């Protein structure tokens, strides 16, 4: 996973849409203020940092040192976040935790294996919480424009072996066949204005168009995206409808 997002950390931290206060508050209510929550695949702390203000402790784990460094900087010394390098194959080596949350990271994992191991590691009452776009999330308004540029640069989407793209199984389908088969979902939506800089930066936060993937073509790609966006919308202003889904999975 770290290679996929090589060079993406500063763009991820600055340009990815936040999950929103309501979604974070929902996570905190599920976990409880006295909980220790594992944020698995934490990136630069998009979930970990705001959640830490509402729970006892967050263990923030990611395989990419640059993502962890960005998170530590954004956390501004928050004492109840532990930033640890690791991934879904190193769960047993982590300190104990009460719940686990994953934001836009579960699809990179061997989902069945992870859920089986979490069944061993999580205490009774422990939950698996997934945070991200809704199941039927539409394309961003600029996606047709940017997709054409990606195609010119030979950039296709990256998929993991057990991802929805590879298997056709959504996360909730996988969860229903796991020990964590009792599901509840909440959705939160709002509109986020985006200028051209934000849309260009967002592309560099993705695995399929990260700086590591582009190599020495980063500047040319960014310029091409900018040109195409302004041609499609001279005002340079777009509106993104952000829909955050929180899927909470419990054992029976």
């Amino acid at each position: 996973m770290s290679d996929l997002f090589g060079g993406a950390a500063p763009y991820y931290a600055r340009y990815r849409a936040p999950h929103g206060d309501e979604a974070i508050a929902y996570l905190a209510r599920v976990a409880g203020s006295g909980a220790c929550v594992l944020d698995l695949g934490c990136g630069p702390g998009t979930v970990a940092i705001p959640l830490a203000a509402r729970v006892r402790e967050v263990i923030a784990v990611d395989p990419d040192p640059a993502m962890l460094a960005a998170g530590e900087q954004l956390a501004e010394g928050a004492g109840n976040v532990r930033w640890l390098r690791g991934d879904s194959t190193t769960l047993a080596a982590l300190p104990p935790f009460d719940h686990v949350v994953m934001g836009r990271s579960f699809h990179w994992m061997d989902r069945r294996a992870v859920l089986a191991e979490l069944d061993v590691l999580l205490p009774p009452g422990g939950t698996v919480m997934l945070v991200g776009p809704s199941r039927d999330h539409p394309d961003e308004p600029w996606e047709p424009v940017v997709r054409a540029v990606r195609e010119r640069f030979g950039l296709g989407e990256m998929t993991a072996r057990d991802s929805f793209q590879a298997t056709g199984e959504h996360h909730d389908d996988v969860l229903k066949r796991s020990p964590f088969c009792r599901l509840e979902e909440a959705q939160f939506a709002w509109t986020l204005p985006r200028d051209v800089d934000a849309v260009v930066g967002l592309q560099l936060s993705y695995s399929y168009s990260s700086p590591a993937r582009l190599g020495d073509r980063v500047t040319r790609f960014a310029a091409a995206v900018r040109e195409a966006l302004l041609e499609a919308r001279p005002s340079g202003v777009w509106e993104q409808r952000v829909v955050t889904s929180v899927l909470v999975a419990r054992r029976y």
Side-chain angles (χ1 to χ4, degrees), residues 109-146:
M109 306 175 193
D110 183 336
R111 295 177 293 177
R112 288 173 179 77
V114 169
L115 292 170
E117 188 164 10
L118 288 174
D119 187 34
V120 174
L121 296 174
L122 280 169
T127 60
V128 175
M129 300 179 284
L130 305 182
V131 188
S134 66
R135 178 169 176 153
D136 301 315
H137 186 68
D139 281 345
E140 309 300 357
W142 55 77
E143 174 58 18
V145 177
V146 178

Side-chain angles (χ1 to χ4, degrees), residues 23-46:
I24 297 299
Y26 185 83
L27 292 170
R29 286 196 297 273
V30 171
S33 60
C36 175
V37 180
L38 168 64
D39 183 358
L40 183 59
C42 64
T46 312

Side-chain angles (χ1 to χ4, degrees), residues 35-61:
C36 175
V37 180
L38 168 64
D39 183 358
L40 183 59
C42 64
T46 312
V47 174
I49 294 170
L51 183 59
R54 298 174 180 266
V55 299
R56 176 172 58 83
E57 183 180 31
V58 174
I59 301 172
V61 173

Side-chain angles (χ1 to χ4, degrees), residues 22-111:
E22 288 182 297
I24 297 299
Y26 185 83
L27 292 170
R29 286 196 297 273
V30 171
S33 60
C36 175
V37 180
L38 168 64
D39 183 358
L40 183 59
C42 64
T46 312
V47 174
I49 294 170
L51 183 59
R54 298 174 180 266
V55 299
R56 176 172 58 83
E57 183 180 31
V58 174
I59 301 172
V61 173
D62 200 274
D64 188 336
M67 289 287 189
L68 295 171
E72 286 190 89
Q73 185 175 8
L74 289 169
E76 297 180 339
N80 66 332
V81 184
R82 278 191 274 182
W83 302 92
L84 301 177
R85 189 174 183 184
D87 59 33
S88 60
T89 68
T90 61
L91 290 170
L94 296 175
F97 48 88
D98 302 310
H99 305 272
V100 61
V101 63
M102 291 171 270
R104 301 176 185 264
S105 61
F106 192 40
H107 66 283
W108 292 112
M109 306 175 193
D110 183 336
R111 295 177 293 177

Side-chain angles (χ1 to χ4, degrees), residues 143-189:
E143 174 58 18
V145 177
V146 178
R147 184 187 299 122
V149 178
R150 289 202 305 268
E151 289 173 354
R152 280 164 42 201
F153 278 74
L155 300 172
E157 291 196 16
M158 307 293 288
T159 62
R161 182 184 62 184
D162 188 46
S163 67
F164 163 69
Q165 292 90 342
T167 67
E169 286 187 292
H170 286 277
H171 292 337
D172 49 357
D173 298 324
V174 174
L175 285 163
K176 287 173 184 175
R177 297 179 178 88
S178 81
F180 301 91
C181 56
R182 185 158 60 95
L183 308 183
E184 64 183 58
E185 184 178 14
Q187 290 190 5
F188 309 92

